[in-house]
Amino acid sequence: MKKVFLVGALALFAGVNAQTGNFKLGAHVGLPVGDAGDTTSVLIGADVAYMWPVSADLKVGVASGYSAWVGKSVTTTVFGQTFTYDVPTVSMVPVAATAQYMLAPQFSLGLDLGYGFLFTSDANDGGFYYQPKAAYHFGPSELYLGYLGLTKDGNSVSAINLGYAYTFGK
């Protein structure tokens, strides 16, 4: 139910202000790092954002999407006994503020900050979501390199990711 409400709110917000901003849609793939690298094999996801120009070089907006840290089989030995178990996939839906600053006509730095809703087979939880990124722009498209992470109570899941986004109405 939270997902339906969130998607509806974002669509309404974007529709009300459609005259001044740009809709951005993209996808990403990443390499889990830190503790997430021990239990997950890859990060995959989709991104959506709506950006408004504040100045010629700065845009701000709202962002969301879907990311999944795909679990892998882990083998461990305890007291001479070997155990293998499958780690479940961890899914996340972020709700974030986003900003993008153009350093040059084709290069920008961006930052997403907000809350990430985590969904696993055991529980639904969430935490602080962040994603700094650097992008190369070509026409309405961009390629970006980012560090996507979510942290709560000293625990985190993160990944270095490569993404593509297309800006409509640009």
Side-chain angles (χ1 to χ4, degrees), residues 104-153:
Q106 292 181 312
F107 296 98
S108 69
L109 293 178
L111 179 64
D112 297 352
L113 294 175
Y115 189 83
F117 295 92
L118 282 177
F119 302 97
T120 66
S121 59
D122 297 332
N124 297 335
D125 205 358
F128 178 68
Y129 162 78
Y130 55 94
Q131 181 175 218
K133 49 189 164 183
Y136 172 74
H137 300 262
F138 50 103
S141 298
E142 69 183 67
L143 280 175
Y144 69 85
L145 182 64
Y147 184 84
L148 186 148
L150 186 130
T151 184
K152 180 178 182 180
D153 299 331

Side-chain angles (χ1 to χ4, degrees), residues 59-141:
K59 292 181 183 178
V60 297
V62 293
S64 188
Y66 174 81
S67 294
W69 282 267
V70 179
K72 63 182 177 182
S73 292
V74 176
T75 302
T76 185
T77 302
V78 179
F79 300 116
Q81 296 290 331
T82 301
F83 300 95
T84 299
Y85 58 95
D86 293 328
V87 176
T89 295
V90 176
S91 300
M92 179 189 66
V93 174
V95 177
T98 185
Q100 183 176 52
Y101 184 77
M102 299 301 294
L103 297 172
Q106 292 181 312
F107 296 98
S108 69
L109 293 178
L111 179 64
D112 297 352
L113 294 175
Y115 189 83
F117 295 92
L118 282 177
F119 302 97
T120 66
S121 59
D122 297 332
N124 297 335
D125 205 358
F128 178 68
Y129 162 78
Y130 55 94
Q131 181 175 218
K133 49 189 164 183
Y136 172 74
H137 300 262
F138 50 103
S141 298

